[in-house]
Amino acid sequence: MQNSFTEENYLKIIHALSGREGQEVSTNALAESTSTRAASVTDMLRKLADKGLIHYKKYQGVRLTETGEKVAINVIRKHRLWEVFLVEKLGFGWDEVHDIAEEMEHIPSDELVERLDAFLGHPRFDPHGDPIPDAKGNLTEPDYLILTDVSLGEKVLMMGVLDHAPSFLQHLDRSGITLGCVIEITEINEYDKSASVRINGSHSLFISLEVSKNLLVQRR
Amino acid sequence: MQNSFTEENYLKIIHALSGREGQEVSTNALAESTSTRAASVTDMLRKLADKGLIHYKKYQGVRLTETGEKVAINVIRKHRLWEVFLVEKLGFGWDEVHDIAEEMEHIPSDELVERLDAFLGHPRFDPHGDPIPDAKGNLTEPDYLILTDVSLGEKVLMMGVLDHAPSFLQHLDRSGITLGCVIEITEINEYDKSASVRINGSHSLFISLEVSKNLLVQRR
DNA sequence: AAAAAAATTTAGATTAACCTAAAAATATAT
DNA sequence: ATATATTTTTAGGTTAATCTAAATTTTTTT
Ligand SMILES: [Mn+2]
Ligand SMILES: [Mn+2]
Ligand SMILES: [Mn+2]
Ligand SMILES: [Mn+2]
């Protein structure tokens, strides 16, 4: 028995919301993320539990089972590989690919995924800097810093984004902030935590706390 | 209002069954092709008619409207472009791609199709020799011959297949019959219409009527 | 430890896409 | 021109995924 489009989406979202420690995810959090009502979530949770994809006890929240985790990670693998394809091969912008990948991630065919992976040269990260699980289902989240945790004067590498919204990504494009660029913090305003930064040692610009909060970076 | 996966499949099948002249398609023919029951087809026809995608009068069979035709051809365009991608870029065999393309054809995004088309170099034909509709929705079926219509001694080019089943395509692979190869008819057996042919002027082989019936060819 | 608030589940509907069985329309054969 | 057969439609259900409203459980506050 195959998992439906909808079931796969639930698993992927449970994976995302339960975070690194695999914490319990609440019905309401899922209703929010799936844009459905809590009652609909409860129905689906019962179904996923019956299929052995989640651990579920009424009123207690849910966690993925080993099987559920495997399915979720495979969907994530496909999503991120297709995003690489769309950007690297078809020339889409990183702000344009998420919704398309959201559809492509559900195409079933292990052979397809493996061939796509090879065609793309076994990429390790997607266009947003998110790690791509390997064929065996290993997904290691690199431990990046958020730019707000970086001190005045430090130089860091831009490694990823927390907000994947097109509007945010387009804002970064306009600011000249791209994956891999060097960000040096030249000023921090105590009042609102806004900052001035220098990009790749050349142009300077002002960024708000909202932007800093959504930038993943790494010390060099 | 978007068309569902299922609706798109119906339109594509109606297009295929109504042929060049856009003849009426019967409920039973659709039930057969969709692997559903006639009663289910009737339900769907009412819906497609309400959406203005088909002309439908009870007991009279159906034809596509202009709009329905556009949708059908766009699905066919996507199907065939993805098949080219799978064969040319991912290295799949022509016998392996149909089912995958059957899923990919429903991914909605005009931008995606146009970029894919450009990435593939605007191919005119898919891996089975079927013509790919252009971006404006023009689809011109070349008028090929069926190999059974070719006389003894003639040399023709292999241009396509009527049967797209993996088993048939694999049989052609084993026989060394590929798209574009030269087929010379060296013998026809009156009894069962089987034939001996020479491929690319080199190796000879015996082919049954069943095979000849499914090969599209062109005089040079 | 009650009471109030919040979260979750249950009950009962709805819609899309299917089904079977029965009725009606059309086509074919005598 | 009837009778028979075939095709198609209608009637009435089912399942997956959703919904609203009501009931229940858990959490938080007083
Ligand atoms: Mn994405
Ligand atoms: Mn991504
Ligand atoms: Mn095909
Ligand atoms: Mn094809």
Side-chain angles (χ1 to χ4, degrees):
Chain A
M1 43 207 89
Q2 273 260 112
N3 303 306
S4 74
F5 197 104
T6 311
E7 288 165 347
E8 287 190 350
N9 280 334
Y10 267 84
L11 296 175
K12 199 177 51 152
I13 291 170
I14 294 168
H15 177 92
L17 294 180
S18 66
R20 250 182 260 249
E21 284 85 28
Q23 298 154 58
E24 249 88 49
V25 177
S26 77
T27 300
N28 268 354
L30 284 168
E32 168 86 43
S33 289
T34 54
S35 303
T36 61
R37 300 310 186 135
S40 311
V41 172
T42 301
D43 284 349
M44 181 57 79
L45 295 184
R46 232 183 50 81
K47 186 163 38 139
L48 292 173
D50 288 349
K51 291 181 90 174
L53 296 165
I54 59 173
H55 296 291
Y56 173 54
K57 259 178 281 169
K58 284 203 278 189
Y59 296 99
Q60 310 291 244
V62 290
R63 279 178 307 107
L64 295 175
T65 60
E66 294 252 327
T67 322
E69 175 91 1
K70 269 211 189 85
V71 176
I73 285 181
N74 191 238
V75 176
I76 291 166
R77 173 165 161 81
K78 292 193 278 182
H79 182 101
R80 294 181 181 169
L81 283 172
W82 282 118
E83 282 190 344
V84 172
F85 169 73
L86 294 170
V87 169
E88 296 298 317
K89 302 294 182 178
L90 298 194
F92 276 102
W94 67 343
D95 56 313
E96 302 175 304
V97 297
H98 180 80
D99 289 351
I100 299 176
E102 208 60 34
E103 306 279 334
M104 302 189 84
E105 73 190 5
H106 302 290
I107 291 163
S109 167
D110 292 345
E111 179 81 5
L112 175 61
V113 186
E114 296 330 312
R115 282 181 185 268
L116 176 65
D117 185 39
F119 178 62
L120 298 173
H122 306 287
R124 311 268 316 281
F125 299 94
D126 86 0
H128 311 104
D130 293 313
I132 298 176
D134 70 20
K136 287 178 189 125
N138 302 111
L139 171 55
T140 39
E141 296 284 350
D143 44 355
Y144 296 136
L145 300 170
I146 295 173
L147 189 59
T148 51
D149 297 335
V150 176
S151 326
L152 188 65
E154 279 196 276
K155 279 186 192 169
V156 292
L157 290 173
M158 156 43 179
M159 301 303 287
V161 293
L162 283 175
D163 183 357
H164 290 205
S167 58
F168 177 60
L169 300 173
Q170 285 158 16
H171 178 69
L172 295 185
D173 282 341
R174 282 189 300 271
S175 307
I177 299 178
T178 59
L179 227 58
C181 74
V182 177
I183 302 178
E184 180 188 356
I185 306 205
T186 55
E187 191 186 343
I188 296 178
N189 302 297
E190 274 316 309
Y191 171 63
D192 62 357
K193 306 285 190 213
S194 63
S196 291
V197 298
R198 190 186 306 282
I199 305 299
N200 289 325
S202 53
H203 74 288
S204 277
L205 87 142
F206 175 87
I207 61 179
S208 68
L209 176 61
E210 201 50 36
V211 167
S212 301
K213 266 189 201 161
N214 284 295
L215 286 176
L216 292 171
V217 299
Q218 185 176 50
R219 296 205 174 82
R220 307 179 306 164
Chain B
M1 44 206 89
Q2 274 259 112
N3 304 304
S4 74
F5 198 103
T6 311
E7 287 166 346
E8 286 190 350
N9 280 333
Y10 267 84
L11 295 175
K12 199 179 49 154
I13 291 170
I14 294 168
H15 177 92
L17 295 179
S18 67
R20 252 183 259 248
E21 284 86 28
Q23 298 154 57
E24 250 87 50
V25 178
S26 76
T27 299
N28 267 354
L30 284 168
E32 168 86 44
S33 288
T34 55
S35 303
T36 61
R37 301 310 185 131
S40 310
V41 173
T42 301
D43 284 349
M44 181 57 79
L45 295 184
R46 234 183 50 81
K47 186 166 35 143
L48 292 174
D50 287 349
K51 291 181 91 173
L53 296 165
I54 59 172
H55 296 291
Y56 172 54
K57 258 177 283 170
K58 283 202 279 189
Y59 296 100
Q60 310 291 246
V62 289
R63 278 177 307 107
L64 295 175
T65 60
E66 293 253 327
T67 322
E69 175 91 1
K70 270 211 189 84
V71 175
I73 285 182
N74 191 238
V75 176
I76 291 166
R77 174 165 160 80
K78 291 192 279 182
H79 182 101
R80 294 182 181 169
L81 284 173
W82 282 118
E83 282 189 345
V84 173
F85 169 73
L86 294 170
V87 169
E88 295 297 319
K89 303 294 184 180
L90 299 194
F92 276 102
W94 66 343
D95 57 311
E96 302 175 303
V97 297
H98 181 79
D99 289 351
I100 299 176
E102 208 61 34
E103 307 278 334
M104 302 189 84
E105 73 189 5
H106 302 291
I107 291 163
S109 166
D110 292 345
E111 179 81 6
L112 174 61
V113 186
E114 296 330 311
R115 282 181 186 267
L116 177 64
D117 185 40
F119 178 61
L120 298 173
H122 305 288
R124 310 269 316 282
F125 299 93
D126 86 359
H128 311 103
D130 293 312
I132 298 175
D134 70 20
K136 287 177 189 126
N138 302 112
L139 171 55
T140 41
E141 296 284 350
D143 44 353
Y144 295 137
L145 302 170
I146 295 172
L147 190 60
T148 51
D149 297 336
V150 176
S151 324
L152 190 65
E154 279 195 277
K155 278 186 194 168
V156 292
L157 290 172
M158 157 40 180
M159 301 303 287
V161 293
L162 283 175
D163 183 357
H164 289 205
S167 59
F168 177 61
L169 300 173
Q170 286 158 15
H171 179 69
L172 295 185
D173 281 342
R174 282 189 300 270
S175 308
I177 299 177
T178 57
L179 226 58
C181 76
V182 178
I183 302 178
E184 180 186 356
I185 306 207
T186 55
E187 190 186 346
I188 296 180
N189 302 297
E190 274 315 309
Y191 172 63
D192 61 359
K193 306 285 191 212
S194 63
S196 291
V197 298
R198 191 185 307 281
I199 305 300
N200 287 327
S202 55
H203 74 287
S204 278
L205 86 143
F206 175 87
I207 61 179
S208 68
L209 175 61
E210 202 49 35
V211 167
S212 301
K213 267 188 199 162
N214 284 296
L215 286 176
L216 292 171
V217 299
Q218 187 176 50
R219 295 208 175 80
R220 306 179 307 162

